[in-house]
Coordinates of all heavy atoms in Angstrom, one line a residue:
L1 N 0.8 -1.2 0.0 CA 0.0 0.0 -0.1 C 0.8 1.3 -0.1 O 0.3 2.4 -0.2 CB -0.9 0.0 1.3 CG -2.0 -1.1 1.2 CD1 -2.8 -1.1 2.5 CD2 -2.9 -1.1 0.1
T2 N 2.2 1.1 0.2 CA 3.1 2.2 0.3 C 4.1 2.3 -0.8 O 4.4 1.1 -1.4 CB 3.7 2.4 1.6 OG1 4.4 1.2 1.8 CG2 2.8 2.8 2.8
A3 N 4.6 3.4 -1.2 CA 5.6 3.4 -2.4 C 6.8 2.8 -2.0 O 7.3 2.7 -0.8 CB 5.7 4.9 -2.6
N4 N 7.4 2.2 -3.0 CA 8.7 1.4 -2.9 C 8.7 0.2 -2.1 O 9.6 0.0 -1.5 CB 9.9 2.4 -2.7 CG 10.0 3.6 -3.7 OD1 10.0 3.2 -4.9 ND2 10.1 4.6 -3.2
T5 N 7.6 -0.3 -1.7 CA 7.6 -1.6 -0.9 C 6.9 -2.7 -1.9 O 5.8 -2.3 -2.4 CB 6.7 -1.4 0.3 OG1 5.4 -0.8 0.1 CG2 7.5 -0.3 1.2
P6 N 7.5 -3.9 -1.6 CA 6.9 -4.9 -2.6 C 5.6 -5.5 -1.8 O 5.4 -5.3 -0.7 CB 8.0 -5.9 -2.7 CG 8.9 -5.7 -1.4 CD 8.7 -4.2 -1.1
D7 N 5.0 -6.3 -2.7 CA 3.8 -7.2 -2.2 C 4.4 -8.2 -1.2 O 5.6 -8.4 -1.2 CB 3.0 -7.9 -3.3 CG 2.7 -6.8 -4.3 OD1 2.1 -5.7 -3.9 OD2 2.5 -7.2 -5.5
S8 N 3.5 -8.9 -0.5 CA 4.1 -9.7 0.5 C 3.3 -11.1 0.6 O 2.1 -11.1 0.2 CB 4.2 -9.2 1.8 OG 2.8 -8.9 2.3
I9 N 4.0 -12.1 1.0 CA 3.4 -13.5 1.4 C 3.9 -13.9 2.8 O 5.2 -13.8 2.9 CB 3.8 -14.5 0.3 CG1 3.1 -14.2 -1.1 CG2 3.3 -16.0 0.9 CD1 3.6 -15.2 -2.2
L10 N 3.0 -14.1 3.7 CA 3.5 -14.4 5.0 C 4.3 -13.3 5.6 O 5.2 -13.6 6.3 CB 4.1 -15.8 5.1 CG 3.3 -17.0 4.6 CD1 4.2 -18.3 4.6 CD2 2.1 -17.2 5.4
N11 N 3.9 -12.1 5.4 CA 4.6 -10.9 5.7 C 6.1 -10.8 5.4 O 7.0 -10.0 6.0 CB 4.7 -10.9 7.4 CG 3.3 -10.5 7.8 OD1 2.5 -10.0 7.3 ND2 2.8 -11.3 8.9
R12 N 6.4 -11.6 4.2 CA 7.8 -11.5 3.6 C 7.6 -10.9 2.2 O 6.7 -11.3 1.6 CB 8.6 -12.7 3.6 CG 8.8 -13.5 5.0 CD 9.5 -12.5 5.9 NE 10.6 -11.9 5.4 CZ 11.0 -10.6 5.9 NH1 10.5 -10.0 6.8 NH2 12.2 -10.2 5.4
P13 N 8.5 -10.0 1.8 CA 8.4 -9.4 0.5 C 8.5 -10.5 -0.7 O 9.0 -11.5 -0.6 CB 9.7 -8.4 0.3 CG 10.1 -8.3 1.8 CD 9.7 -9.6 2.5
V14 N 7.7 -10.1 -1.8 CA 7.6 -10.9 -2.9 C 8.2 -10.3 -4.1 O 7.8 -9.0 -4.3 CB 6.2 -11.4 -3.2 CG1 6.1 -12.2 -4.5 CG2 5.6 -12.1 -2.1
H15 N 9.1 -10.8 -4.9 CA 9.7 -10.2 -6.0 C 9.4 -11.2 -7.2 O 9.4 -12.4 -6.9 CB 11.1 -9.9 -5.8 CG 11.5 -9.0 -4.8 ND1 11.5 -7.5 -5.0 CD2 11.7 -9.1 -3.5 CE1 11.8 -7.0 -3.8 NE2 12.0 -8.0 -2.9
T16 N 9.2 -10.6 -8.3 CA 8.9 -11.5 -9.5 C 9.9 -11.2 -10.6 O 10.4 -10.1 -10.7 CB 7.5 -11.1 -10.1 OG1 7.4 -9.8 -10.5 CG2 6.4 -11.4 -9.1
S17 N 10.2 -12.1 -11.4 CA 11.1 -12.2 -12.6 C 10.6 -13.0 -13.7 O 10.1 -14.3 -13.3 CB 12.4 -12.6 -12.1 OG 13.2 -12.7 -13.3
A18 N 10.7 -12.6 -14.8 CA 10.3 -13.5 -16.0 C 11.3 -14.6 -16.1 O 10.8 -15.6 -16.8 CB 10.3 -12.6 -17.1
Y19 N 12.5 -14.6 -15.5 CA 13.4 -15.6 -15.7 C 13.3 -16.8 -14.6 O 14.0 -17.8 -14.8 CB 14.8 -15.1 -15.7 CG 14.9 -14.1 -16.8 CD1 15.0 -12.6 -16.5 CD2 14.9 -14.5 -18.0 CE1 15.1 -11.8 -17.5 CE2 15.0 -13.5 -19.2 CZ 15.1 -12.2 -18.9 OH 15.2 -11.3 -19.8
V20 N 12.4 -16.7 -13.6 CA 12.1 -17.7 -12.7 C 11.1 -18.8 -13.5 O 10.2 -18.3 -14.0 CB 11.4 -17.1 -11.4 CG1 11.1 -18.3 -10.6 CG2 12.3 -16.3 -10.7
P21 N 11.5 -20.1 -13.3 CA 10.7 -21.0 -14.1 C 9.3 -20.9 -13.7 O 9.0 -20.7 -12.4 CB 11.4 -22.3 -13.6 CG 12.8 -22.0 -13.2 CD 12.8 -20.7 -12.7
T22 N 8.4 -21.2 -14.5 CA 6.9 -21.3 -14.2 C 6.6 -22.7 -13.6 O 7.4 -23.6 -13.6 CB 6.1 -21.0 -15.4 OG1 6.4 -21.9 -16.4 CG2 6.3 -19.5 -15.9
I23 N 5.3 -22.7 -13.1 CA 4.9 -24.1 -12.5 C 4.8 -25.1 -13.6 O 4.0 -25.0 -14.6 CB 3.5 -23.9 -11.9 CG1 3.7 -23.0 -10.6 CG2 3.0 -25.4 -11.4 CD1 2.3 -22.6 -9.9
A24 N 5.5 -26.1 -13.6 CA 5.6 -27.2 -14.5 C 6.2 -28.5 -13.9 O 6.8 -28.4 -12.9 CB 6.4 -26.9 -15.8
A25 N 6.0 -29.7 -14.5 CA 6.5 -30.9 -13.9 C 8.0 -30.8 -13.7 O 8.9 -30.5 -14.6 CB 6.1 -32.0 -14.8
G26 N 8.5 -31.0 -12.4 CA 10.0 -31.1 -12.1 C 10.5 -29.6 -12.0 O 11.7 -29.6 -11.7
A27 N 9.8 -28.7 -12.2 CA 10.4 -27.3 -12.2 C 10.6 -26.7 -10.7 O 9.8 -27.1 -10.0 CB 9.5 -26.3 -13.0
K28 N 11.5 -25.9 -10.6 CA 11.7 -25.2 -9.4 C 11.1 -23.9 -9.5 O 11.6 -22.9 -10.1 CB 13.2 -25.1 -8.9 CG 13.9 -26.4 -8.8 CD 15.5 -26.3 -8.6 CE 16.1 -27.6 -8.3 NZ 17.6 -27.6 -8.2
S29 N 9.8 -23.8 -8.9 CA 9.0 -22.5 -9.2 C 9.1 -21.4 -8.2 O 8.6 -20.4 -8.6 CB 7.5 -23.0 -9.4 OG 7.2 -23.7 -8.3
V30 N 9.5 -21.8 -7.0 CA 9.6 -20.6 -6.0 C 10.9 -20.7 -5.2 O 11.4 -21.8 -4.9 CB 8.3 -20.7 -5.0 CG1 8.4 -19.7 -4.0 CG2 7.1 -20.7 -5.7
A31 N 11.4 -19.5 -5.0 CA 12.6 -19.5 -4.2 C 12.3 -18.6 -3.0 O 11.6 -17.6 -3.0 CB 13.8 -18.9 -4.8

């Protein structure tokens, strides 16, 4: 809700990148 702060999951920041593998068989999808 405030500028220059990322969204969160379980109160920890979430960052996104097009180069992180998507959900697929055997893929590592979340770090």
